[in-house]
Every structure is written in C-alpha cells, then in structure tokens.
Amino acid sequence: MYYKSRKYRLFYICNFAFLLVASIACVLPLIHILAVSFSAKEPANAQAVGLWPIGFNTDAYKQTFSNPNFLESIVVSIERVLLGTIIGMAVTILTAYPLSKMNARFRGRTMYTWFFVFTMLFNGGLIPTYMVIQKMHLMNSIWALVLPGAVSAWNMVLLLNFFKTVPRELEEAALIDGANHIKTLWYIYLPISMPSLATLSLFTMVAHWNSWFDGMIYLTDAQKWPLSTLLQTIVVTEDFSKINMRPEDVKLISNETVKASQIFIGAIPILLVYPFLQKYFVKGMVLGAVKE
Amino acid sequence: MLVPGIVLAVVFLYLPMLGLVIAFQDFKPWLGFVHSPWVGLDHFRLMLSREDSVQVIRNTFAIACLKIVFGLLVPFVFALLLNELRHMFFKRLVQTLVYLPHFMSWVILGGILINLLGNSGPVNQLLSSLFGIEPVPFLADGDWFRFTVVVSDIWKEFGFGTILFLAALTAVNPSLYEAAEMDGAGRWQQTLNVTIPAVTPIVIVLGTLSLGSILNAGFDQIFNLYNALVYDKGDIIDTFAYRVGLLQTQFSFGAAVGMFKALISFVLIVVAYRMAFKFANYRIF
C-alpha cells in the first residue's frame, strides 16, 4: 500500500501544507481590505495595515453609508440583478426547452440552435453594439444593462444539454395525462433541473452584480450608475469629474479606509450567496460541460 | 417559446453585426449608415500600418498565450494535488476557498491589487523587509505589468479551473489503480500511468477550445489595472478599441479593430471546435 510508505507520508504532509497556503492566498487580499476598512485613517493612508485592523473603528462604513450616491447605486444594482436574472433565465429556459427536443419532434431544430450558437462565435464588437443601443434610445436606461445580455447562448447550451438528460418516459407520461408543453416544462423539466438552474442563476446574478463597463458607456448620467460602475470610478480610476460632489466630499471618499469599505461592501453579496449555491454549481457545471 | 430569444438575439446580437459595415465606411453620425462615404479596407490598412495598433495586437497575443498555457497547467497540477487529499473536510475547505476569487469582479480585485502592489504597498514592504530589494514596479513598468496581469489572472481563475479536472479525476475507474498497485506501482507511478492518461482527453479539449480565446486577453482585468505608463506593453485590442473608438470617437476605426478581432477569433473557434470534435469527440450540443 503506497500510502503507508514513508515517502508518500512526507509528500502528503507537504501537499497538505502547500494546499493550505494556496487556498489561504486566495482570500488574503480580501482579508487585507477588510482590515484596512476597519482601521484608523492614518495607518491606512500610510499603508501600514496588514491583515489586522490598526485602531479599530467603523467610521469608514458610517461615511460610506451616509453618501447618497452610494446608496442609490446599490438600489440600481439590486434592480439590475433582479431584472437581469429573471429576464435572462426566462429567455434561457424558454429557448433551451424546444431546442432540447429531438430533430424528429421539432423540425428545424438544428437551424435554430445554430442561430443562437453563432452568436457565441461571432459578434459585432463594442462599437456597433454601442451604436445599436444608442439608436434604440436605450441610453441612460436600465434596459441597456439588462436586455443586451439576456440571450446567453452559452447558458442556453448548458441548459439544453441538461434538459436532454431528462428521461423521455416522464415527458411522455405527462403528455398522455394531458399536459401541454408549458405544463411539462413547469412541472417536470424545471424541478428536475434545479441544480443546473441554480448554477445558471448564480452565474447570471454574479455577472450582473459585477459588470460595470456597460453602466459606464450606456449611462452617461452618473446618478443612474450601478454600484460596480461607481466603484470603478471612485476606487480604480479615481476620476471624480463625472460624479457631482463637493471637493470636501471627494477628500472624504478618497480616503483609503473609505475606499476599502466600499470595495468590501461591493463584495458582500457575492460572499453571501456563494457558499449556499456552491454545492449546486460544481454539479451543474460538470453536468453541463463534461458529457459521457 | 423561441420568440423572445430570437427577437432579443436579432436586435442585440445580429444588428451589431450588420453595424460592422461602418468599418468599411468613413462613418459620420450625422450622415448615418446609408450616406456615409465608403472607404473599403482603408481602416484595416491603417490599423496594420499604425505602430501602436500593431503593438496592441502583439500584446494581445503575448498576454493571452501566457494566460492560456498557465491557465491550463496550474489548475491541472492543482487538481492532481487536491485529488490526493483524503481528509474530506479539508478538501472541501480548500475547494471553497480557491473558487472564491473567480466570483469577484476585476473592479473589486483591481481596487485591492492597486492598493497591494503600489510602490509602498504591503507586497513591496514585505519584499523589502524579507530581501531588502527596491520596490518592484508591478503596475508601472510594461514587463512587470504583463507579469502581474498573468499571475493575478491565474490566481483568480485557477481554483475554478480545477472543477472540470477534479470531475475527470473522480471518473477514473478505481480498478485501474488496484491493478497498478498489484503490479507494484507507487503513487507516482500510478499518477504517471493511470491518472494522467485518463485526464489527457479533457486537457486536450480545454486546450483546443481555448484556441478560440487567443485574442481575449481580458478587457476587464487590463482596464482596471493599467495606466498610461504601461500602454506600450499592456494595451490590448479590446482596450484599444474602446480608447480609440469610443473615447476619441473614431467609430469606424474602432469598429475595424473590433472586426479584425472578431474575424480571427471566429476562424480560430471554428477550427478549435472541429479539432475538439475530431480528436476527442467533443460536441457543444
């Protein structure tokens, strides 16, 4: 038995230690930023804070939450995530269901599938897309953030492949009992596909919460920005020209601790949903991607 | 049922493809698509003769290739190591922690990294107290910038990349290991002769498929990390198209740059899928 040998035991211990270090390295930056956000101003601005707050206080959070811009952007973000996930998932489900049928049952299936898959292979790119949004008069509207990404061929293909694994006998039984396609989809397909749906919803939610670039180019009015876009401007580029703020306010938010608190608040929703959905996404990912 | 999907796809995905005609025009917004003068391939010629755009294409290739190679290698090795663990709780813990960065946006991570990697940031402080070296210009020097981009991308994504490899590893037939054991193979021998051959197909599939993303060097990441100091080595096609096309409103030139990328990617993706189908019988649907 190899794992009783001395050499293997030594390897096991080293491996254990290495994996521990590697996984801690994945969360260290987050811990650092958390420590900075709870520190006093002076050590934070002097970059003296490591992984533990120096001069613990919660002023940064108080300041962040007293900034109306910040609160409004959180509302916009939540609105965006809800709208985007509901619409995106609805479109994905409605498209994946018919396309998961066999060719004999749904003529032209392959053609329709390619119609969607082609969008994975080729796209108009940034500038033509921008011009279409502009021509549709979606500028400065939340729909510019929600609708363009609603059709995700990738998600559709994953779900389609999952739907294909649903036993055909179940569907036939339902049809014999008089269920139409809508009922079959609702009472048979969706409950069975929970792991896959949970995974895709999680990915869609995270994508909407995290995306910032479309907000920056489509929403010229900074009042309507989602949180990620606001954070990008305040924390990363430190460009305050677009946001209406008094100079003294700018001074307040460019403080390292306030920036850190904002970064951390931006990460909180992810930290909250992620552990619960994690067990689903491993399953959902693998089922969709690796086939027998 | 297909109607909503088709309508949205036509409007937001197919219309922009038609919009690519402006790459062949000298597009003026007040003249519109119909009346703007046609210039043929001028913008493409300009792109291939402008020094900055050629440099940008080179940067894109270099950064994307490095990311692809290490982005396959690191998760693969990590999955092999993780697979050795027999403490299930610890294994779960490691997995939970390493998946996390994948879900953080580059805005958040950019904010953190800029803070961490600055000249007087914690990383440089640590380096100088350990080795007494000068501050490393992680984000202020072209070559270091590339290094930082690749390493931080690997750091963010390697955990997530292990998922597929782990799945492939658990699918290996245990009796193969038993047989190898009977033949007197140690763990290292077993890994070489059983595990690695068993997982090679999925490595090949992922490797070929990543060919299609060879011009995707990571807009979000670069955009959030770079600054004017590192444009020479760090600017990529996507960021360039944005800066020139939208910010300097050279719509047509920007569209041409975007189209160049889309076309090459298209060809590569098609080739990659064909290869994946041929060698590993991989199909997308």
Side-chain angles (χ1 to χ4, degrees):
Chain A
M1 300 300 268
Y2 63 83
Y3 50 82
K4 285 191 180 151
S5 80
R6 210 147 168 226
K7 238 164 71 184
Y8 186 77
R9 270 197 206 149
L10 186 69
F11 161 77
Y12 196 88
I13 293 167
C14 295
N15 188 22
F16 200 100
F18 171 76
L19 292 176
L20 189 67
V21 171
S23 43
I24 289 175
C26 285
V27 284
L28 274 188
L30 211 61
I31 296 174
H32 167 75
I33 215 74
L34 189 63
V36 172
S37 73
F38 281 114
S39 295
K41 265 183 217 161
E42 296 73 27
N45 287 343
Q47 300 207 299
V49 182
L51 299 172
W52 199 252
I54 300 177
F56 184 90
N57 71 76
T58 53
D59 291 351
Y61 288 90
K62 282 179 200 142
Q63 231 164 72
T64 303
F65 280 116
S66 64
N67 176 356
N69 271 344
F70 191 81
L71 293 179
E72 273 166 38
S73 71
I74 291 184
V75 175
V76 175
S77 275
I78 293 174
E79 200 181 337
R80 172 185 187 166
V81 168
L82 288 179
L83 274 176
T85 312
I86 292 170
I87 294 177
M89 287 308 291
V91 173
T92 307
I93 291 169
L94 287 177
T95 322
Y97 176 74
L99 295 182
S100 69
K101 300 290 168 238
M102 286 178 308
N103 281 336
R105 294 265 318 275
F106 174 28
R107 289 233 205 133
R109 185 194 81 106
T110 320
M111 196 192 80
Y112 284 110
T113 313
W114 274 110
F115 172 82
F116 288 105
V117 170
F118 185 72
T119 64
M120 279 160 74
L121 308 179
F122 190 77
N123 59 67
L126 173 68
I127 286 155
T129 310
Y130 175 83
M131 294 174 72
V132 166
I133 305 272
Q134 206 180 25
K135 283 258 165 355
M136 305 271 304
H137 299 288
L138 288 177
M139 299 296 278
N140 269 327
S141 142
I142 192 157
W143 298 108
L145 311 181
V146 171
L147 293 179
V151 178
S152 158
W154 179 250
N155 286 354
M156 203 197 75
V157 168
L158 283 182
L159 192 63
L160 180 164
N161 284 328
F162 199 94
F163 278 168
K164 275 190 184 166
T165 63
V166 174
R168 194 155 312 127
E169 292 76 12
L170 272 179
E171 192 192 342
E172 272 162 14
L175 287 175
I176 288 169
D177 286 347
N180 55 20
H181 276 303
I182 306 266
K183 278 195 171 163
T184 321
L185 173 62
W186 187 258
Y187 290 110
I188 303 213
Y189 276 77
L190 295 189
I192 292 185
S193 313
M194 276 324 278
S196 205
L197 291 174
T199 312
L200 293 182
S201 309
L202 170 72
F203 287 172
T204 316
M205 284 161 79
V206 170
H208 274 294
W209 179 264
N210 279 343
S211 60
W212 51 278
F213 183 65
D214 42 5
M216 198 172 85
I217 60 175
Y218 299 139
L219 309 181
T220 43
D221 178 2
Q223 296 289 316
K224 295 180 179 162
W225 273 355
L227 182 62
S228 294
T229 311
L230 189 73
L231 282 184
Q232 208 278 335
T233 318
I234 299 182
V235 179
V236 181
T237 48
E238 305 195 0
D239 169 14
F240 301 102
S241 56
K242 272 195 164 182
I243 314 165
N244 290 322
M245 261 196 285
R246 293 168 305 175
E248 59 265 34
D249 288 343
V250 168
K251 218 184 212 167
L252 279 181
I253 61 169
S254 57
N255 184 336
E256 287 296 328
T257 60
V258 179
K259 278 202 275 179
S261 71
Q262 292 175 334
I263 293 178
F264 192 72
I265 293 168
I268 285 178
I270 307 230
L271 295 174
L272 286 182
V273 286
Y274 158 81
F276 297 104
L277 287 166
Q278 206 223 126
K279 61 170 187 234
Y280 285 122
F281 80 63
V282 174
K283 214 171 157 193
M285 267 284 289
V286 169
L287 279 171
V290 188
K291 273 162 289 166
E292 65 293 330
Chain B
M1 281 197 207
L2 285 173
V3 175
I6 290 180
V7 170
L8 286 170
V10 166
V11 173
F12 293 108
L13 299 166
Y14 282 92
L15 271 186
M17 292 184 204
L18 289 181
L20 279 173
V21 292
I22 66 166
F24 306 101
Q25 292 179 328
D26 190 9
F27 182 76
K28 300 274 185 286
W30 56 91
L31 291 177
F33 294 100
V34 187
H35 299 289
S36 291
W38 292 90
V39 295
L41 294 173
D42 277 8
H43 293 296
F44 292 90
R45 261 183 233 123
L46 180 65
M47 175 178 67
L48 293 176
S49 60
R50 262 174 77 160
E51 211 169 292
D52 55 350
S53 46
V54 174
Q55 180 65 36
V56 160
I57 296 170
R58 234 183 272 144
N59 292 346
T60 310
F61 264 106
I63 294 175
C65 287
L66 285 171
K67 280 187 179 176
I68 288 174
V69 171
F70 289 102
L72 270 178
L73 214 61
V74 175
F76 180 54
V77 173
F78 196 81
L80 285 178
L81 293 177
L82 197 58
N83 196 42
E84 291 300 309
L85 286 186
R86 273 186 313 281
H87 295 82
M88 278 332 258
F89 172 77
F90 183 65
K91 192 171 170 181
R92 290 230 65 113
L93 181 77
V94 171
Q95 280 178 282
T96 309
L97 293 180
V98 295
Y99 296 157
L100 185 62
H102 170 80
F103 291 93
M104 299 283 155
S105 76
W106 276 114
V107 172
I108 306 255
L109 294 178
I112 299 180
L113 285 178
I114 289 171
N115 174 299
L116 279 178
L117 299 175
N119 260 352
S120 55
V123 172
N124 270 322
Q125 283 177 24
L126 190 73
L127 287 177
S128 76
S129 65
L130 283 181
F131 308 108
I133 49 177
E134 294 284 295
V136 180
F138 288 108
L139 297 171
D141 169 86
D143 290 316
W144 276 108
F145 180 77
R146 271 191 197 174
F147 170 84
T148 312
V149 162
V150 173
V151 171
S152 60
D153 185 64
I154 304 295
W155 169 81
K156 183 175 189 282
E157 301 296 343
F158 83 91
F160 201 71
T162 56
I163 291 183
L164 288 180
F165 292 117
L166 278 178
L169 287 174
T170 48
V172 179
N173 188 347
S175 59
L176 289 176
Y177 290 113
E178 282 160 27
E181 190 119 32
M182 289 309 229
D183 292 342
R187 191 58 178 163
W188 177 240
Q189 292 275 331
Q190 290 180 20
T191 305
L192 275 188
N193 297 313
V194 178
T195 315
I196 291 184
V199 192
T200 313
I202 185 162
V203 180
I204 293 176
V205 169
L206 292 177
T208 29
L209 293 185
S210 59
L211 191 66
S213 61
I214 209 151
L215 289 183
N216 276 333
F219 176 83
D220 272 25
Q221 181 193 17
I222 306 254
F223 194 89
N224 282 306
L225 287 177
Y226 82 166
N227 50 60
L229 287 174
V230 292
Y231 280 166
D232 61 329
K233 293 277 176 72
D235 208 8
I236 56 170
I237 296 178
D238 292 321
T239 49
F240 183 72
Y242 168 70
R243 276 197 303 126
V244 178
L246 275 189
L247 289 189
Q248 303 173 16
T249 59
Q250 302 181 33
F251 288 127
S252 285
F253 184 69
V257 174
M259 188 173 175
F260 172 79
K261 183 196 158 192
L263 277 178
I264 295 192
S265 298
F266 175 71
V267 174
L268 289 174
I269 295 172
V270 172
V271 171
Y273 277 127
R274 297 208 140 225
M275 276 163 59
F277 179 63
K278 203 171 159 195
F279 294 123
N281 211 15
Y282 175 89
R283 307 173 61 130
I284 34 175
F285 64 89

